[in-house]
Amino acid sequence: MSLIKSISGIRGTIGGKPGDGLSPLDIVRFVSAYATYIKNGKGKAKVVVGRDARISGPMVRDIVVGTLQGMGVDVVDIDLATTPTTEMAVVAEKADGGIILTASHNPIQWNALKLLNADGEFLDAKAGNEVLAIAAAEDFDYSAVEELGQITHKDYTDYHIQKVLDLKLVDVEAIRKANFTVAVDTVNSVGGIILPKLFKALGVNNVIGLNTEANGRFAHNPEPIPQNLTGISETMAKGGVDVGFVVDPDVDRLAIVCEDGQMFNEEYTIVAVADYVLSHTLGNTVTNLSSSRALRDVTEQHGGVYTAAAVGEVNVVTEMKRVNAVIGGEGNGGVIYPECHNGRDALVGIALFLSHLAHKNMKVSELKKTYPAYFISKNRIDLSPSVDVDAVLVNVKKKYASEKVTDIDGVKIDFKDSWVHLRKSNTEPIIRVYSEAHSMDEADKLAKDVMAVVEELSR
């Protein structure tokens, strides 16, 4: 059993003893702490609650809503909804915050409480640490019967779709004329509710749906990476389909499949969408340090400036605001388009990508070839618990002092034609090692060389 507490929320496996997993008692404690933080001594507060389709969702929702009521917080329960839908609902409701019940790409036994501020964005480090401190103190003040929170039930599905359709760069007419045939895998979660409606609204009438029943029983590992997407790849390889889309259970990540069944590459979702946006809107871009250099290349081709942020959506959004970025996101398939809202949104990614594809009038595989070719190798170094990981990273930084080194989140070393990024885990004695080069062999070799240095410094 696992329970992971972080600034952006609480994630854990369902079942087990309190403190070992995401038990009902843990849910009450952390929701009470969040409500205390949101109220901050004022009278009434309002919080939006949405969830993905996990089978533990109804149980977790009932406890969350009941706890918020008990804390005197009014609740807008939008029930089955994507993460970006819930984020947008917070703003639309002028709520004080929101709680998303989703463990994102984690397997079926997991669930989580993702905490939002009044702007529909994830809590930053300061706010998140304050919530954790309140939870640790367990100094909660529950409301008297006359002051219990009230529940309102709403559906924000159509609202979200309309917001996407209203974006200036979403060209519904061009998409309709292209007469695309699309395959989509929604891994038995809320994407199966909202994406068919989105495609219909975009004029995409030929849709092949895989795993679209939102029953929470994931047909495959829900992380949208190549080894988990054999089903849609096989469907595409049979021919007759122009593009495939895959989302994770809460629909904030988007993977794209070429017409021949090959992966477009999850890292290139943001690259392609940014290429389209930048071709119409001059501006800057942001992704995290572990994302492909291809976005930097495309941004500079369009006359913009690329900036790398620390890993984590809240860090990317903060940096996007600082540099006034027109588009940003994460290499895991997360597209953040401030014109709509400041959160990863697969619906926005799909609509902008289809607009781009319609304007280019080429196959997805052909579009992929227009972008710089990079390959990322993902590895890890397991260390003994006695190793001082921070000290090791400091020594790595010294070792590569002659190169461009960034240390805002671990250590990233930028070479002329490649890079390697080392980050320590917050939960176990390991260092994650991401490397990128113009071929997978080069990326693997770079990772191997740097890992050897780390292991030597760890002795």
Side-chain angles (χ1 to χ4, degrees), residues 168-169 273-285 298-299 302-305 324-327 337 339 352:
K168 293 177 183 177
L169 293 185
V273 172
D275 180 33
Y276 175 63
V277 170
L278 292 171
S279 68
H280 293 82
T281 312
L282 180 63
N284 303 324
T285 65
V298 168
T299 302
H302 285 288
V305 176
N324 195 29
V326 297
I327 185 79
Y337 189 42
E339 188 74 20
L352 291 175

Side-chain angles (χ1 to χ4, degrees), residues 335-348:
V335 174
I336 303 173
Y337 189 42
E339 188 74 20
C340 191
H341 68 112
N342 285 317
R344 295 180 301 176
D345 191 331
L347 277 75
V348 170

Side-chain angles (χ1 to χ4, degrees), residues 50-68:
R51 68 179 180 94
D52 69 15
R54 290 169 185 273
I55 57 177
S56 62
M59 180 272 287
V60 176
R61 176 203 57 208
D62 290 348
I63 296 171
V64 168
V65 171
T67 302
L68 289 171

